[in-house]
Amino acid sequence: MIKTGKLAGWAARLVLPGLVLLLAPELVEAQDAIDSGDTAWMLTSTALVLLMTAGLAFFYGGLVPSKNVLNTMMMSFVAFGVAGVLWAVAGYSLAFGGDGAFVGDLSMMFLSGVGMEASGSIPHILFMGFQGTFAIITAALISGALVGRMKFGAYIAFIAIWGLVVYAPVVHWVWSGGWLGGMGALDFAGGTVVHVNAGAAALAAAIVLGPRQDYGVRAMLPHNVPFVLLGAGLLWFGWFGFNGGSALAADGLGATGAVTTMFAPGATVVVWAFLDHFTTGEMTAVGLATAIVVGLVAITPASGFVTPMGAIAIGALAAFPSYYFIKWRTRSSLDDSLDVFGAHGIGGAVGAVLTGVFAAEAVGGTAGLLEGNPGQVVTQVIAIIGVLVYSVIATVVILKVIGAISGGLRPAADLELRGMDVIAHGEEGYATGDGAVLILEDD
Amino acid sequence: MIKTGKLAGWAARLVLPGLVLLLAPELVEAQDAIDSGDTAWMLTSTALVLLMTAGLAFFYGGLVPSKNVLNTMMMSFVAFGVAGVLWAVAGYSLAFGGDGAFVGDLSMMFLSGVGMEASGSIPHILFMGFQGTFAIITAALISGALVGRMKFGAYIAFIAIWGLVVYAPVVHWVWSGGWLGGMGALDFAGGTVVHVNAGAAALAAAIVLGPRQDYGVRAMLPHNVPFVLLGAGLLWFGWFGFNGGSALAADGLGATGAVTTMFAPGATVVVWAFLDHFTTGEMTAVGLATAIVVGLVAITPASGFVTPMGAIAIGALAAFPSYYFIKWRTRSSLDDSLDVFGAHGIGGAVGAVLTGVFAAEAVGGTAGLLEGNPGQVVTQVIAIIGVLVYSVIATVVILKVIGAISGGLRPAADLELRGMDVIAHGEEGYATGDGAVLILEDD
Amino acid sequence: MIKTGKLAGWAARLVLPGLVLLLAPELVEAQDAIDSGDTAWMLTSTALVLLMTAGLAFFYGGLVPSKNVLNTMMMSFVAFGVAGVLWAVAGYSLAFGGDGAFVGDLSMMFLSGVGMEASGSIPHILFMGFQGTFAIITAALISGALVGRMKFGAYIAFIAIWGLVVYAPVVHWVWSGGWLGGMGALDFAGGTVVHVNAGAAALAAAIVLGPRQDYGVRAMLPHNVPFVLLGAGLLWFGWFGFNGGSALAADGLGATGAVTTMFAPGATVVVWAFLDHFTTGEMTAVGLATAIVVGLVAITPASGFVTPMGAIAIGALAAFPSYYFIKWRTRSSLDDSLDVFGAHGIGGAVGAVLTGVFAAEAVGGTAGLLEGNPGQVVTQVIAIIGVLVYSVIATVVILKVIGAISGGLRPAADLELRGMDVIAHGEEGYATGDGAVLILEDD
Amino acid sequence: MKLVKAIIRPEKLSDVLKALYQADVEGVTVNRVQGHGGETEGVETYRGTTVKMELTDKIMLDIGVSDSFVDVTVNAILSSARTGEVGDGKVFVFPIEGVYRIRTGEKDEQAVTPVTGETNETTI
Amino acid sequence: MKLVKAIIRPEKLSDVLKALYQADVEGVTVNRVQGHGGETEGVETYRGTTVKMELTDKIMLDIGVSDSFVDVTVNAILSSARTGEVGDGKVFVFPIEGVYRIRTGEKDEQAVTPVTGETNETTI
Amino acid sequence: MKLVKAIIRPEKLSDVLKALYQADVEGVTVNRVQGHGGETEGVETYRGTTVKMELTDKIMLDIGVSDSFVDVTVNAILSSARTGEVGDGKVFVFPIEGVYRIRTGEKDEQAVTPVTGETNETTI
Ligand SMILES: Nc1ncnc2c1ncn2[C@@H]1O[C@H](COP(=O)(O)OP(=O)(O)O)[C@@H](O)[C@H]1O
Ligand SMILES: Nc1ncnc2c1ncn2[C@@H]1O[C@H](COP(=O)(O)OP(=O)(O)O)[C@@H](O)[C@H]1O
Ligand SMILES: Nc1ncnc2c1ncn2[C@@H]1O[C@H](COP(=O)(O)OP(=O)(O)O)[C@@H](O)[C@H]1O
């Protein structure tokens, strides 16, 4: 049996203002029966979002020099373990338990009471798992700002704490009856919860850590651009589950979530190509991959609220601020190494604002600015600022505390220059074995 | 509400001669209700087919020398943007709008009237998105004939125009009430529409462009065969959605589409291995990957019309013509660089003919030659020839026009030899950063 | 129409002791109707499990030196052809036909009688295809013990025979009314059938083949650790279909299968990281990838019988034996090159035993040790031993016979040292083309 | 004995190998390097980061030849590697004090003596 | 004519190239190599297999210079490549018997004569 | 001072490094190259395209040694790198005019003088 507290929060997610009466009876019914079609789609979506974190590892891993490829990829992969297990232990409960305005409760710690019973039209356990994949990738997203210069233990501690202290509460705010959801902030699949949140944390973390030793001195080029494209492709594929699955059903809304996700990044790619062309005379592959991600991020909050043509507009418009921010950032002293803030923070914020602009009542039940509801844009801006401020402050505090306890967040400068793979993991990404001598006795 | 014109075309696709009475009542019902199971499968299928274009980028990208890897991959990835956006703008309407014999109309331009209402048992918007993923990959397929020697702007213009002028009408011919569908041509998932069509365009484009500067002079070896295998694996995976999803439902037909897709390429792999073994004494990895694609192409038109054993027969037989054609081609002056015509054109044509041979009434409602219906083979041949001729002629015209306007389709010979990645995109696939000096002031 | 013999075996799988009465009516109904939601999930699951074999190719291929990368990857990819086609020819019938205690019959050879009719709530053809993907990956799993030193023809003969003589009967034992299923052995998705079975065969094959020429002499390092991580990511993704799909339905049980698959490896990763840290001072990327696979293997038999917290316990506990066994193995003379026995044999056995410990009646209908049913552990141990002994003996016999017929299983020592890619396939994984001279006349 | 070290364009490698073969020079060791000379420097851009590429891909050949074959070898390279554009590369000739064939341990002239036939006589 | 061969740390390459440029030495060929010297050897572990890494990544530079520029070149390298830690590398100077510019076929001093301007005069 | 340049089989690298170590030669620079000699040429086929592979993977070692150690070094290589099959490679010995240790700037004999202990004395 699903607890009332959780259902209320949940309802806030699905039942947007103006739809309450319409959907309410359906929800009551939904408690009673699992729909195999909806469950099939949510099973698929859960797998798809899980794959995104592997895709992210390649997107990020291809962008760094080869001496840091494993460290970068592991920052994503280790989130499967740390963020995944902690989600089951307490994160899910903090996000979806109880009905406080700011944070959930501990009533579902260790998944107590989370079983095969229906929650909406899918098994409760599946809803929990689906949300868990979001917790994993949000933590991993931040790592793009930290590559090449952070003690691995400190990184693990950071994402562990951040997931419980920042991510879970913010989910509660927006999707489980918290103050932002209550205000009517629209965030279909996590533009604010996931992307603005991770982007803000990345910005703060990049500043706390400081730039890499050779940042701005030496060129640190992507060692494997095909990996970047592979990552972008896997992310796009997985994002169908991220956005399409956020409908929690295989219906018209789920289809809208998926189809907007298909078209928006296409528009971003086209605009980005023009910007690249006018700036450097050439369309670049790294730019193309970046455009895909920016488009995906921007459509995330809007995916269940706008039409495909609205999605194309959002995708196209979102290219501009991210493009120019990233261009400026690379010439600045801010070593947000893989532009998490530029792509996810700005892309997510722009997407969230444009959700308030392009929302179509016929799609998701809420009208946006273009349909005469300017107030929605204001609500969206409040949500963005709320999440951004909390995430920045909490990130700084967490990192400072970890740094103080663990004797600094970074390895010695000369070690960092040798590359994190060798010094933090004792491995090379691409070993030839030349000059490697077997040590057979035990160490 | 779904428009009658479109439904008629659609019905022509699903309701094949002999099945009309049987299926008609179901279809009438289907208009009224979205089925969550069918929608779940079509959501998944749409994501799967989208992933295929990324898979294709790796299949093609691994086959070229490393100096052209990014250019080759971008030819696939940019189709997400160009072909995707244009599908929403006009392609879908030209393909599925109205009921002309040769081309659709503009009634659904900018997706007007394409919403969450049911179209069959799935949301209309989802049908449109699913079909859009086909438009994207068909354009990308052609690029295999053009690698390493085409101005990128000219390529983009080509696939943009080709998608509207060739792909959309051919879809209409076969799947939306056009002349070929009306004749009873069988093409379950695009053997003719996608593969013969793209293969013919590739052949024409390779001839118009002419061979690479060093074609036939220097060996241009695959720089990364694992990428070729990765591409083949992702293509196979995605092809479950391509063929299985073409049933537009999660039912016995969908299962047949998927299961034939699973077994046919297996048979092609086995036969190809024997051919390789008898020819060079060794089974090759590039051969294995090629066999997978040829088998997938060959089963595409047949996947909803034959049994799994029929699929195995088709997969096995399809190996021969493609194998020997490719062997001949590499010694000829025809620089269809990655053998798009050999794999897709010939594979698709062989598959389409064999569909007419092996079609089983119990599976897809139409009997083939083996069940005493030789006329079906004739119909299949007409469809192949019709599509091939139109695609070749239109491709030549489009390329000549673009070439005339843009001052030639190819870069200068010495630039081409340096590699397209550096000259057309200002990037390298695998940069070490040695000797790279940061330029910090603005360009 | 589905045959009674097969259904009986099948029922044994789904309807576990204690649930018979509860589920029986549902099953009777299920025979009559295909459920689109269940079918959607099983279509997806089939595609997911197929993808796993490509994932395995990368997991294994990244772990070997680059001179053997293609040979290693082809050992997986060729299973698509060999094991796939033979499954349709006879394997499926041997596994699921008839109701003998030790092996099926040949009543469904060439898929006779396997059509679109319902089998449970999905098309029979789809059940056959789904099971076929298991046959493919099980054969491919063994190859990890054989890399770098086996004639490719002998390998193909081996997996062909092994699939029919070992895999199909063992499936029958456990999942289709055979002696182990009859005893009440629990194996939700193949901990014993797939992993103990393949692990045992790998152990035997490694001993029969003997170590690589340079094993224990030279360090043979993973040439591409990112590929290992890619493989691990794709395996995890595909395993959702492996375990979640083994419920054969998109319901609470399917959700449990998927969600336990999501959390268990996370726990293994965390424990493995600690073990790595205490042993070498560093957490390694290869270790992380290995931990993911071990966790996935361990949860496989349990995935539909335990809660997510049970899954986390199993994942955590399974890390220890595999970790220490692999550590010992690399210093021994046993060249199970990629630790198939350590990861799959031991991981599968540990998972099967722990299934008997943590099985929760509320989840899968059977109580385990912790719920007061110690007998289940005994049953599990018998199943493990039965499968292990049969697999070892049969593998040795098959290999000895092939070796005798084909004049030895291995190439000449000096050829082996040059690398299998060049000597067995006439290809290099990463060719630069330097010094390659085109031969244009026919060979 | 001399060592001829040549730096050439990668796309000229096949031609140079063929020219060496025709000049009966069969032993050669090939190395992928990067060179800096008068070539125009490329500019590449990665996500806003613009870099000047100071190095260009080249191939370096090391060829040990007996004194009488130095000119033949150098001329074969000069004619086969030339495009006439800046960046064609350089050829250096070095003195060698000793040569050994590892397979046999033969030294100097013995190491150069062809094993069989005449085509080998010019290589070490 | 001499060939200056320097083995340096990879992370010092940019600095050395800049120093060479400032010393008017413009022709150089660069090679990724691995070195073994007094450096501490790393230990790596791959799934239980522990290995000692005896080689460290280095860059090898080959620079042909006219005799009068040998000292300038060597000093430029010595000062720009130094960190003071073990593993900084070595510089070797070799005699050259002949130099050719492939583009023109010019030999020796002709090969070194700058095409235009003064900055080229020190390079071959 | 001499430079010993050896071209060996990749699979012999560990053995050669061990032999050099036992001969108290500790400084060495290693380079992946490809060689062409008397080896049989492989044929590879990629989708119908057949190619003859004229180059075989080799390792090139550059070792600077003081004059008295030339023979020791050469012999260590000759004995440890031999398989007796065609393709074992060559060893060349070159004269060196000057050596510098970048870390300290020491020249010639100073650059060779061992920093500490005896095992270093033979290396530069
Ligand atoms: N002095 C030199 N020492 C070593 N290598 C050189 C030298 N000069 C040129 N090279 C090599 O030759 C290549 C072409 O040299 P460059 O001077 O540009 O050509 P050109 O001889 O046509 O004027 C360079 O990329 C570099 O690899
Ligand atoms: N005798 C030598 N011959 C060739 N290369 C050498 C020699 N000695 C050192 N090197 C190269 O120089 C690098 C650094 O040498 P090392 O002796 O460790 O440094 P240092 O000069 O600071 O004592 C080595 O990695 C190797 O590449
Ligand atoms: N004259 C040469 N100059 C430079 N390198 C050579 C020369 N001859 C042989 N080599 C190198 O040595 C390797 C083995 O030479 P090869 O003549 O085949 O062996 P062997 O000495 O056993 O007859 C070649 O691949 C090449 O790298």
Side-chain angles (χ1 to χ4, degrees), chain D:
Chain D
M1 303 297 311
K2 304 288 173 205
L3 186 93
V4 177
K5 184 188 276 287
I7 296 144
I8 62 171
R9 295 180 190 275
E11 57 263 34
K12 283 288 173 189
L13 176 60
S14 307
D15 296 343
V16 173
L17 287 178
K18 198 192 287 173
L20 289 173
Y21 178 83
Q22 282 160 352
D24 283 340
V25 178
E26 291 199 348
V28 51
T29 297
V30 175
N31 200 347
R32 295 215 133 201
V33 297
Q34 294 187 288
H36 180 75
E39 302 101 336
T40 35
E41 289 163 350
V43 169
E44 301 185 359
T45 305
Y46 295 88
R47 250 200 191 178
T49 303
T50 308
V51 292
K52 194 172 53 162
M53 286 303 188
E54 300 205 322
L55 300 176
T56 315
D57 285 346
K58 301 282 167 189
I59 294 275
M60 184 189 283
L61 305 177
D62 283 313
I63 314 169
V65 291
S66 34
D67 293 2
S68 58
F69 267 82
V70 170
D71 286 349
V72 173
T73 305
V74 169
N75 288 334
I77 296 170
L78 287 179
S79 57
S80 61
R82 185 176 302 149
T83 70
E85 302 292 313
V86 171
D88 276 352
K90 299 278 186 291
V91 179
F92 301 102
V93 180
F94 297 92
I96 301 187
E97 298 193 347
V99 190
Y100 304 81
R101 183 193 295 274
I102 292 175
R103 171 159 55 88
T104 55
E106 291 160 292
K107 209 199 148 189
D108 290 339
E109 291 311 310
Q110 281 76 357
V112 203
T113 316
V115 185
T116 57
E118 275 189 301
T119 55
N120 269 347
E121 86 191 318
T122 58
T123 61
I124 326 169

Side-chain angles (χ1 to χ4, degrees), chain B residues 425-437:
Chain B
H425 309 292
E427 283 172 304
E428 293 169 61
Y430 313 96
T432 61
D434 290 348
V437 176

Side-chain angles (χ1 to χ4, degrees), chain E residues 66-87:
Chain E
S66 34
D67 293 1
S68 57
F69 268 82
V70 170
D71 286 349
V72 172
T73 305
V74 169
N75 289 334
I77 296 170
L78 287 179
S79 57
S80 60
R82 185 176 304 151
T83 69
E85 303 292 313
V86 170

Side-chain angles (χ1 to χ4, degrees), chain E residues 7 34-39 56 58 85-90 92, chain F residues 3 26-29 62-65 101-103 115 123-124:
Chain E
I7 296 144
Q34 294 188 288
H36 180 74
E39 301 100 335
T56 315
K58 300 282 167 188
E85 303 292 313
V86 170
D88 277 352
K90 298 279 187 290
F92 301 103
Chain F
L3 186 93
E26 290 199 347
V28 50
T29 297
D62 283 313
I63 315 168
V65 290
R101 183 193 295 273
I102 293 175
R103 173 160 54 90
V115 186
T123 61
I124 327 170

Side-chain angles (χ1 to χ4, degrees), chain E:
Chain E
M1 301 296 312
K2 305 288 174 205
L3 186 92
V4 177
K5 184 188 278 287
I7 296 144
I8 62 170
R9 296 179 189 276
E11 57 263 35
K12 283 289 173 188
L13 175 61
S14 308
D15 295 343
V16 172
L17 288 178
K18 199 192 287 173
L20 289 172
Y21 178 83
Q22 281 160 354
D24 283 341
V25 178
E26 290 199 348
V28 51
T29 298
V30 174
N31 201 348
R32 294 214 136 202
V33 296
Q34 294 188 288
H36 180 74
E39 301 100 335
T40 34
E41 290 165 350
V43 169
E44 302 185 359
T45 304
Y46 295 88
R47 251 200 190 177
T49 303
T50 308
V51 293
K52 194 173 52 164
M53 287 304 189
E54 300 206 321
L55 300 175
T56 315
D57 285 345
K58 300 282 167 188
I59 294 274
M60 185 190 283
L61 305 177
D62 283 313
I63 315 169
V65 290
S66 34
D67 293 1
S68 57
F69 268 82
V70 170
D71 286 349
V72 172
T73 305
V74 169
N75 289 334
I77 296 170
L78 287 179
S79 57
S80 60
R82 185 176 304 151
T83 69
E85 303 292 313
V86 170
D88 277 352
K90 298 279 187 290
V91 179
F92 301 103
V93 180
F94 297 92
I96 300 185
E97 298 194 347
V99 191
Y100 304 82
R101 183 192 294 273
I102 292 176
R103 171 160 54 90
T104 55
E106 291 160 293
K107 212 201 144 188
D108 290 339
E109 291 312 310
Q110 280 77 357
V112 204
T113 316
V115 186
T116 56
E118 277 189 301
T119 54
N120 270 347
E121 84 192 321
T122 58
T123 62
I124 326 169

Side-chain angles (χ1 to χ4, degrees), chain A residues 34-58:
Chain A
I34 288 176
D35 179 90
S36 66
D38 292 346
T39 302
W41 175 232
M42 294 312 296
L43 282 164
T44 305
S45 294
T46 305
L48 285 170
V49 184
L50 195 92
L51 182 66
M52 287 174 69
T53 301
L56 186 71
F58 277 78

Side-chain angles (χ1 to χ4, degrees), chain F residues 10-108:
Chain F
E11 56 264 36
K12 284 288 173 188
L13 175 60
S14 308
D15 296 342
V16 173
L17 288 178
K18 199 193 288 175
L20 289 173
Y21 177 82
Q22 281 160 355
D24 283 342
V25 177
E26 290 199 347
V28 50
T29 297
V30 175
N31 200 347
R32 296 214 133 202
V33 296
Q34 294 187 289
H36 180 74
E39 301 100 336
T40 33
E41 288 164 351
V43 169
E44 302 185 358
T45 304
Y46 295 88
R47 252 201 188 177
T49 303
T50 308
V51 293
K52 194 172 52 165
M53 285 304 187
E54 301 204 322
L55 301 176
T56 315
D57 285 345
K58 300 282 166 190
I59 294 274
M60 186 189 281
L61 305 177
D62 283 313
I63 315 168
V65 290
S66 34
D67 293 1
S68 57
F69 267 82
V70 170
D71 287 348
V72 172
T73 305
V74 169
N75 288 334
I77 296 171
L78 287 179
S79 57
S80 60
R82 185 176 303 151
T83 70
E85 302 291 312
V86 170
D88 276 353
K90 299 278 187 291
V91 179
F92 301 102
V93 180
F94 298 92
I96 300 185
E97 298 194 348
V99 191
Y100 304 81
R101 183 193 295 273
I102 293 175
R103 173 160 54 90
T104 55
E106 291 159 292
K107 211 199 149 191
D108 291 339

